[in-house]
Amino acid sequence: MPAAPFTRWRRIGFAAVLVLLAAEAGTLAARGLNLGLDFTGGVLVEASRQTPFDPGALRAGLTAAGLPDASVQTADGGTTALIRAQSGGVDALAAAREALGPDASVRSQSAVGPKVSGELLRSGALACLAAVSAISVYIWLRFEARFAIAAFLTTLNDVAMLVGFFAVTGVTFDLTSIAALLAIAGYSINDTVVVFDRVRDTVARNPGAPLDGLIDRAITDTLRRTLMTSGTTLVTTVALMIFGGPVLFGFAAAVSFGIV
């Protein structure tokens, strides 16, 4: 199969990346991230019942119970409700149960204190930075310095793009979002190592040949493998988006975007 001219499009790719990074930086500065309870503290309650919930009535009940800033999401045709609320000065779990009513069945509930949430946010940010840095060190040892710089920049770009996805869409950023960031960093470096290895072999077999053509050949040779690996994972994450419910939606949507 003839090599596709990937390097011919690199300037367009660089320009598109810079525009997207600028857009996400502006969005982060203007709105920030929609931090979940893992990072802000509060309670999360998931409940279901046979008849659909009325989100408006549920919000009114939460306000009456002392949780005016609580957020309500429904899924499964309205028969599942997800309540997020900061504790404030009331027992948020009890207030959420009161608003749901006696005919609702609570599937899960959790509470996170503000001190723990702050530690989780710091630990999550450090985990992402440590992962990207460790990946670069591995590439440096596995290949050479210029490969490590390229791997660091591209992996950091993938993670930054995913953070931008959370900022632009307003999808809740919580601990599962950190897992999505680390998963995409892993996928990114997995493809990078495969391509870099093929680039090194191709250059060794064709000394003196133009580098652009060798890179195009290496990417083309590994493209089928990349598409099959990412495509099968994408099918799974899209299925989780559709059928996994509100708790898994943010993680599945983020990983799907990251793979694409």
Side-chain angles (χ1 to χ4, degrees):
M1 186 173 82
F6 288 104
T7 54
R8 187 186 303 171
W9 306 327
R10 66 186 182 273
R11 290 182 179 85
I12 297 175
F14 292 153
V17 166
L18 291 175
V19 169
L20 289 172
L21 288 175
E24 81 166 49
T27 304
L28 281 171
R31 297 195 314 191
L33 294 170
N34 179 23
L35 296 178
L37 298 179
D38 293 332
F39 300 142
T40 60
V43 298
L44 173 65
V45 178
E46 182 182 2
S48 63
R49 69 183 186 187
Q50 295 295 324
T51 57
F53 289 97
D54 180 351
L58 194 51
R59 290 190 186 95
L62 290 166
T63 299
L67 297 175
D69 298 325
S71 67
V72 177
Q73 291 177 280
T74 57
D76 301 329
T79 59
T80 298
L82 193 68
I83 298 174
R84 293 183 175 89
Q86 293 187 353
S87 298
V90 301
D91 185 342
L93 289 176
R97 284 178 171 274
E98 178 183 342
L100 288 166
D103 56 341
S105 173
V106 176
R107 291 182 180 177
S108 64
Q109 63 181 35
S110 58
V112 179
K115 181 178 180 180
V116 173
S117 63
E119 293 174 353
L120 289 175
L121 182 58
R122 287 191 296 273
S123 298
L126 288 174
C128 291
L129 181 60
V132 174
S133 300
I135 284 168
S136 302
V137 172
Y138 166 75
I139 295 296
W140 194 336
L141 297 175
R142 179 74 170 78
F143 297 97
E144 53 184 275
R146 60 179 176 174
F147 284 94
I149 294 172
F152 177 80
L153 292 176
T154 52
T155 305
L156 188 63
N157 173 72
D158 291 338
V159 172
M161 288 292 180
L162 198 50
V163 173
F165 164 82
F166 284 104
V168 171
T169 61
V171 172
T172 303
F173 190 84
D174 51 22
L175 282 179
T176 60
S177 306
I178 297 293
L181 292 176
L182 295 175
I184 291 306
Y187 259 87
S188 175
I189 202 62
N190 185 43
D191 287 336
T192 300
V193 168
V194 171
V195 173
F196 279 3
D197 193 59
R198 186 57 61 93
V199 168
R200 183 174 60 181
D201 291 346
T202 305
V203 170
R205 290 197 305 268
N206 302 275
L211 185 59
D212 287 3
L214 298 180
I215 292 174
D216 289 341
R217 179 76 266 164
I219 297 175
T220 302
D221 288 346
T222 57
L223 187 60
R224 181 181 301 176
R225 174 256 170 214
T226 298
L227 292 176
M228 290 180 64
T229 302
S230 300
T232 52
T233 306
L234 188 61
V235 169
T236 305
T237 56
V238 169
L240 283 175
M241 285 176 58
I242 299 172
F243 304 112
V247 174
L248 291 176
F249 178 82
F251 171 81
V255 174
S256 299
F257 174 82
I259 290 173
V260 172

